[in-house]
Amino acid sequence: MLELILLSLGLSCATGVLSLVASKARAASKTIACVGGMGAAALSFAGGIGALFQTATYASWIGPMPFTNFTLLLNPLAGLLIAVIAALAFVAWLYGLSYFDEYYEAGIGVIGFFMNLFIASMNLVILADNAFWFLVFFELMSLTSYVLVIIDRTEASLKGGFLYLIMAHIGFLMIACSFFAMASATGSLEFEAFRTHAFAPGIATLAFALAFFGFGAKAGMVPFHSWLPQAHPAAPSNVSALMSGGMIKIGIFGICKVCFDLLGAAGGEVGWGVLVIVIGAVSSVLGVVYALGEHDLKSLLAYHSVENIGIILLGVGVGIYGWAADLPWLAAIGLLAGLYHLVNHAMFKGLLFLGAGSVLHATGTRNMEVLGGLAKVMPITAVCFLIGSLAISAIPPLNGFVSEWFTYQGLIGAAMDGGIFMRIVFAFAVVALAITGALAVTCFVKAFGVTFLARPRSEAAEHAHEVPAPMTIAMVILTVACIALGLGAAWVAPVISSIASSMLAAPSLPVVEGATLVSLDTVSVVSPLIMAALMAVVIALCALVRNAANRKGGMKSDPSTWACGYEADLSMETLASTVGANVKTFMGPLYALRYGVNRAGQAVARLIARALESDAEEAPAAPVATGAVASRYDRDRTVGIAPAERHAPALSNSVLSIVSDVGAWFGRMESGDFRTYIVYIVGALVFFLALIILVR
């Protein structure tokens, strides 16, 4: 299988060079890049799938220096990542057969060259078994993706690309320090020397912490997430799908490789798992909260990448905790949950980014506020985006539900078996996952409803059209994958469970019984197939009742929306800024935190930019352009979702003013808006869920 992957790497490089050489013949250059890229992706997909069912394969070539031996390792975990990236690469190239027509002026040969090199570098990072080559290919991956982010050469893309480059190199530095810490103890840069050495606890913890935060910066976890909502929207949409669905998973792969493989002989620490779980919980909640405040469709999806990286980290954290605490069943189910969600997120996030690209292709805008009514003119895109939205919201029986179900089983099982401190940690994680799920549904009701339903709110939306066949076929492929990974979970879960077992060097955990998923420790079962059948019956019955009522009333179609006696018009439509408005009000401090983190990141980027300028000290401050783009915080202030700047209120000097303040506070709590009470109900459910875990 390694031979197939090496062949695909050679084809990618050759295709990239040919595309660049033929760049003057733009149509030919595009065809060479896309068709060659699809062929390379098919080869690497076959190699990756084959590696899932084989033992590890090594290959090594002597380098010019002792530390530059070119060593490759293909094991089941590497095969899984290569297969995921290959699947995304295939649909991205297929999508590009039509989508790249918009990038002729930007240089289609340049895109073909760097995108092929980007995909090849990701595969080489996964295969590299030497610290020197790992870092070389990691840097190549960052540089090639940076070029793709700034390909439009607009102010927004250059700014987003620069921030991404800074964060990528911060991560690179921490990863390099982690490897050098291990190399100082072994005297070698070969990963084989790392994995056979029993590091001292202090060295192991230092190496893990550096690797965790370094790879976490690449994955986009909080607090290293600020580059995602700026870089991903700036890139071409199929590149965004590759970055969000594939590249950031390299961060998860790196965390797992360092922890379970390179530090395996040293053994893990319970604190490692706690750190990963806490960061994962915070990332999942903040990611979805910030997504609620976005009106740019691709920025919203980028923040959801932060959320889903957090969910993956919850599973991985449970795996690390179970491994360190000598609870093999817990380690296995945690890794199963994390790896399953890694695959699922790649599929539905790739689908959603391609859907956003189709909307952009058809309307010329990503602003949800001016869209609407696209389901009628873009039915295939609408159906695919709807299924992707349901999947990312963990609605059964789709794939997102399955992996989050396993995540819940791991967290709840760990909470039941731990001491009081660990119960608090896992209760916090369960509550965070529950809040994340509720807000994710709200966010994608907004994303799909405001974009595809109601009536068009602009001329661009009114004159939209369905995208060409290559783009729709690419979306349909990922849609089928989301459905298959959900309905076929009884066949997929054992494969991923075997990968987790190979990482732990432990027997495989039984996770299925027939067509039913099982969790032995929590005594839980679920069957996506049965759930799908029941849901189909309920939906069919509802449709029959509705049609019968329409016929009885003499109506040939559904009645128009009732508008309280008024004639419905566009001013009554729900907009992106109104969906989840109460949630955004309650989460105001978190938006202030985002503003502070983003400003800090921008300040660091400016300092580095000035350091790179030879005449930075002499150059006068640039005047602010009249049409300057408002900062994200200013935009949030405009639509009322960022906390307003307030002066400290004067201390109340009378009982009357105190009573007035308390009354006003209760007035805000009892607003009469049903959405507020839904939030209260969800909060109460979360509270009692945490209480059950803590007192058991």
Side-chain angles (χ1 to χ4, degrees):
M1 295 303 150
L2 183 59
E3 292 79 6
L4 283 176
I5 297 173
L6 293 176
L7 182 59
S8 76
L9 293 173
L11 182 56
S12 289
C13 295
T15 298
V17 172
L18 287 175
S19 174
L20 189 62
V21 170
S23 57
K24 291 187 177 180
R26 296 183 295 187
S29 178
K30 179 194 72 173
T31 303
I32 291 171
C34 293
V35 174
M38 290 167 63
L43 288 172
S44 59
F45 182 79
I49 292 296
L52 299 180
F53 307 99
Q54 294 185 351
T55 56
T57 303
Y58 286 90
S60 184
W61 293 267
I62 301 297
M65 303 292 289
F67 59 86
T68 61
N69 290 342
F70 191 64
T71 308
L72 303 179
L73 169 64
L74 178 61
N75 58 18
L77 177 61
L80 179 68
L81 267 292
I82 287 175
V84 167
I85 291 171
L88 287 173
F90 184 88
V91 296
W93 286 120
L94 176 60
Y95 191 88
L97 283 171
S98 293
Y99 187 75
F100 279 151
D101 290 347
E102 299 180 0
Y103 287 86
Y104 278 166
E105 297 301 325
I108 191 66
V110 174
I111 294 177
F113 175 76
F114 281 102
M115 189 165 166
N116 271 291
L117 203 57
F118 172 51
I119 295 168
S121 63
M122 285 194 287
N123 287 333
L124 285 168
V125 168
I126 294 167
L127 292 173
D129 206 50
N130 174 285
F132 172 80
W133 289 110
F134 187 100
L135 294 172
V136 168
F137 294 132
F138 192 90
E139 178 68 5
L140 180 62
M141 175 181 67
S142 298
L143 293 176
T144 51
S145 53
Y146 164 74
V147 173
L148 293 171
V149 167
I150 66 168
I151 198 68
D152 274 337
R153 293 188 288 276
T154 61
E155 182 180 354
S157 66
L158 292 172
K159 180 181 177 182
F162 185 70
L163 180 59
Y164 163 60
L165 198 62
I166 296 301
M167 296 304 296
H169 282 87
I170 291 174
F172 175 88
L173 180 62
M174 287 190 282
I175 295 167
C177 290
S178 173
F179 288 166
F180 293 153
M182 289 185 277
S184 65
T186 62
S188 172
L189 289 176
E190 290 291 330
F191 285 167
E192 181 61 27
F194 295 174
R195 65 174 59 96
T196 57
H197 186 85
F199 294 99
I203 295 295
T205 298
L206 175 64
F208 173 79
L210 287 168
F212 174 66
F213 288 111
F215 285 113
K218 177 61 71 175
M221 72 181 190
V222 173
F224 305 103
H225 65 286
S226 58
W227 63 271
L228 268 86
Q230 297 193 45
H232 284 192
S237 295
N238 51 348
V239 174
S240 299
L242 264 175
M243 292 179 68
S244 184
M247 185 191 72
I248 64 174
K249 305 307 187 306
I250 302 290
I252 301 298
F253 168 80
I255 293 170
C256 291
K257 185 175 183 70
V258 169
C259 181
F260 296 103
D261 185 16
L262 305 187
L263 297 175
E269 300 286 343
V270 168
W272 301 1
V274 172
L275 173 65
V276 176
I277 289 168
V278 171
I279 294 292
V282 172
S283 296
S284 62
V285 173
L286 291 186
V288 70
V289 167
Y290 294 158
L292 270 169
E294 290 296 326
H295 312 317
D296 182 305
L297 191 54
K298 289 182 70 175
S299 293
L300 178 147
L301 296 177
Y303 272 119
H304 272 286
S305 292
V306 179
E307 171 219 340
N308 281 275
I309 286 296
I311 295 174
I312 295 170
L313 288 176
L314 287 176
V316 173
V318 170
I320 296 174
Y321 169 76
W323 175 57
D326 197 23
L327 298 170
W329 65 267
L330 183 61
I333 199 169
L335 286 178
L336 167 61
L339 294 177
Y340 208 139
H341 202 73
L342 181 152
V343 176
N344 290 339
H345 178 252
M347 297 300 107
F348 56 62
K349 184 53 65 65
L351 170 59
L352 292 168
F353 266 115
L354 295 187
S358 297
V359 170
L360 177 61
H361 180 275
T363 64
T365 181
R366 306 189 305 252
N367 184 1
M368 291 182 285
E369 299 279 56
V370 299
L371 295 174
L374 296 183
K376 294 181 179 179
V377 293
M378 303 178 68
I380 299 176
T381 299
V383 170
C384 292
F385 197 93
L386 174 61
I387 292 175
S389 299
L390 294 172
I392 198 173
S393 302
I395 302 298
L398 298 174
N399 56 344
F401 165 78
V402 175
S403 52
E404 289 200 26
W405 183 82
F406 278 121
T407 306
Y408 273 114
Q409 302 314 308
L411 292 172
I412 293 172
M416 298 305 181
D417 287 347
I420 184 62
F421 174 74
M422 295 312 302
R423 287 191 180 190
I424 293 173
V425 170
F426 286 110
F428 168 72
V430 170
V431 168
L433 188 56
I435 292 173
T436 299
L439 295 183
V441 172
T442 303
C443 196
F444 278 94
V445 166
K446 159 186 168 176
F448 181 80
V450 174
T451 302
F452 290 96
L453 302 182
R455 289 186 292 177
R457 292 183 293 277
S458 67
E459 188 175 342
E462 188 174 357
H463 295 95
H465 54 82
E466 188 58 274
V467 294
M471 298 170 68
T472 57
I473 293 172
M475 289 187 289
V476 168
I477 291 173
L478 291 180
T479 301
V480 171
C482 291
I483 297 171
L485 287 168
L487 296 180
W491 294 270
V492 177
V495 176
I496 300 180
S497 178
S498 68
I499 298 172
S501 298
S502 70
M503 296 168 61
L504 298 167
S508 185
L509 177 74
V511 292
V512 298
E513 183 68 36
T516 303
L517 304 177
V518 299
S519 174
L520 297 179
D521 187 72
T522 56
V523 198
S524 301
V525 297
V526 68
S527 175
L529 286 173
I530 294 176
M531 296 179 73
L534 292 175
M535 292 174 69
V537 170
V538 171
I539 292 172
L541 288 175
C542 291
L544 289 173
V545 170
R546 183 198 64 182
N547 292 338
N550 285 349
R551 285 195 300 271
K552 185 176 180 179
M555 293 178 290
K556 296 183 179 179
S557 60
D558 289 333
S560 59
T561 303
W562 183 61
C564 302
Y566 295 92
E567 183 179 358
D569 57 40
L570 291 178
S571 65
M572 299 179 180
E573 288 191 8
T574 299
L575 302 178
S577 56
T578 58
V579 177
N582 287 301
V583 175
K584 291 180 285 189
T585 300
F586 294 153
M587 300 293 184
L590 297 183
Y591 285 93
L593 176 63
R594 179 181 73 173
Y595 168 66
V597 170
N598 286 349
R599 286 292 295 271
Q602 292 167 5
V604 171
R606 284 196 299 269
L607 287 174
I608 295 175
R610 289 171 184 168
L612 296 176
E613 296 175 0
S614 59
D615 56 344
E617 296 182 357
E618 301 177 3
V624 178
T626 305
V629 178
S631 68
R632 184 179 301 276
Y633 180 67
D634 292 334
R635 296 203 309 272
D636 288 354
R637 291 282 303 277
T638 302
V639 297
I641 63 174
E645 297 178 359
R646 300 174 181 172
H647 298 289
L651 185 64
S652 300
N653 295 318
S654 67
V655 174
L656 182 61
S657 63
I658 295 175
V659 171
S660 177
D661 290 343
V662 172
W665 185 81
F666 276 107
R668 290 193 296 272
M669 297 290 289
E670 299 291 335
S671 64
D673 191 326
F674 75 95
R675 295 172 297 182
T676 303
Y677 301 117
I678 290 175
V679 173
Y680 293 160
I681 292 171
V682 172
L685 291 174
V686 167
F687 170 77
F688 286 115
L689 176 62
L691 188 63
I692 289 171
I693 292 174
L694 291 174
V695 301
R696 177 160 177 170

